[in-house]
Amino acid sequence: MFTQDIDGDTALHNAIILKDEETSIRLINLAPTQAWLSSRNLLFQTPLHLAALTDQTHVLKHLIIAGADVTFRDKHGNTALHIACRDGLVRVVETLLTPAPNLMPQHLWDGVQYQQEPPNFGIHNYDGLTCLHLAAVNKHLNIIETLVKYDINLNMKDLKTGKTILHGSCERNDTELVSFLLRHRTCDINARTYCNSTPFDVARARSNIVICEALAAAGAKYGQQSDSD
């Protein structure tokens, strides 16, 4: 029951894939060790990854309170939170961000070290993207709104270019996300990429007048302007 098959999957992996909630929870409760709950298959997916992918929040809750590691990454460097933000799974995101004692207090396990608060939003996948970047790239504004409630840093940069999600939204001409970000004072409207570009520089390069006007109205600067102040 607790061994891995040729694909590296355990019985728990397979139960989650089949969406057999009853069996999944029974196996979680029978886990021989806390580490077994975070066993990785050949794709480096843990049961937590699979529960997130299949939008099974009840199984997620049981995994978390049993001590499954929420920071493990799959072969692409994605945590379960990355996957949920990429796929727009709001319930999964909220479950992953809720402290274990608040999920199902009556089921907490003795001796388990739960994830720290606040959650580690700064984990980058192997493309250099955080969960916030994935939500923005896939235009999941509702996910970003949820992350903001948990005090996520809106100015995190990707590791390849140094772009924040404001840079990215200007690059993609995503006026809705630009407007959302400009309403949050914690968003750095003059953030610099690794090549020294501001969001305004990116918007000008894309010739998006609407976004340029919105940025200018908010006090954004371009080129060397923000270095002279």
Side-chain angles (χ1 to χ4, degrees), residues 8 10 52 59 64 83 85 95 131 140 162 172 176-177 181 186 190 205:
T10 64
V59 173
I64 292 169
I83 291 169
C85 290
T95 300
C131 58
H140 297 312
R172 295 186 301 275
E176 184 179 15
L177 181 53
L181 293 172
T186 58
N190 293 312

Side-chain angles (χ1 to χ4, degrees), residues 40-101:
R40 289 186 276 197
N41 62 21
L42 296 186
L43 299 178
F44 280 24
Q45 295 168 319
T46 67
L48 199 74
H49 285 106
L50 296 175
L53 274 167
T54 54
D55 196 13
Q56 297 183 69
T57 55
H58 197 53
V59 173
L60 272 175
K61 290 178 183 180
H62 279 271
L63 282 167
I64 292 169
I65 64 172
D69 195 321
V70 298
T71 66
F72 273 27
R73 304 192 234 188
D74 64 17
K75 72 171 187 176
H76 300 295
N78 290 321
T79 65
L81 184 58
H82 281 86
I83 291 169
C85 290
R86 179 197 67 194
D87 294 348
L89 304 173
V90 177
R91 294 191 313 151
V92 174
V93 169
E94 290 178 338
T95 300
L96 290 167
L97 296 182
T98 302

Side-chain angles (χ1 to χ4, degrees), residues 166 170 178 182 189 198-204 209-221:
L166 181 56
C170 292
V178 170
L182 292 181
I189 60 175
T198 65
F200 202 128
D201 293 329
V202 175
R204 288 187 72 202
I209 297 174
V210 174
I211 290 180
C212 285
E213 289 178 346
L215 288 167
K221 300 176 182 179

Side-chain angles (χ1 to χ4, degrees), residues 10-21 23-25 27-28 37 46-56 59-60 63:
T10 64
L12 179 56
H13 283 88
N14 289 320
I16 294 172
I17 291 170
L18 295 172
K19 294 190 175 182
D20 185 343
E21 182 177 299
T23 299
S24 297
I25 293 172
L27 287 167
I28 292 168
L37 295 169
T46 67
L48 199 74
H49 285 106
L50 296 175
L53 274 167
T54 54
D55 196 13
Q56 297 183 69
V59 173
L60 272 175
L63 282 167

Side-chain angles (χ1 to χ4, degrees), residues 16 114 122 130 137 173 214 217 227:
I16 294 172
Y114 295 105
T130 66
V137 166
N173 293 323
D227 292 333

Side-chain angles (χ1 to χ4, degrees), residues 148-221:
V148 167
K149 293 177 184 177
Y150 288 87
D151 297 322
I152 196 168
N153 177 8
L154 291 172
N155 304 307
M156 291 188 294
K157 298 183 178 184
D158 71 50
L159 294 182
K160 289 186 176 180
T161 64
K163 292 175 184 173
T164 65
I165 62 169
L166 181 56
H167 285 97
S169 59
C170 292
E171 188 173 51
R172 295 186 301 275
N173 293 323
D174 189 343
T175 54
E176 184 179 15
L177 181 53
V178 170
S179 298
F180 173 83
L181 293 172
L182 292 181
R183 294 197 296 269
H184 288 79
R185 294 187 178 183
T186 58
C187 180
D188 183 1
I189 60 175
N190 293 312
R192 296 275 181 169
T193 64
Y194 296 150
C195 65
N196 215 33
S197 296
T198 65
F200 202 128
D201 293 329
V202 175
R204 288 187 72 202
R206 297 294 184 276
S207 301
N208 191 310
I209 297 174
V210 174
I211 290 180
C212 285
E213 289 178 346
L215 288 167
K221 300 176 182 179

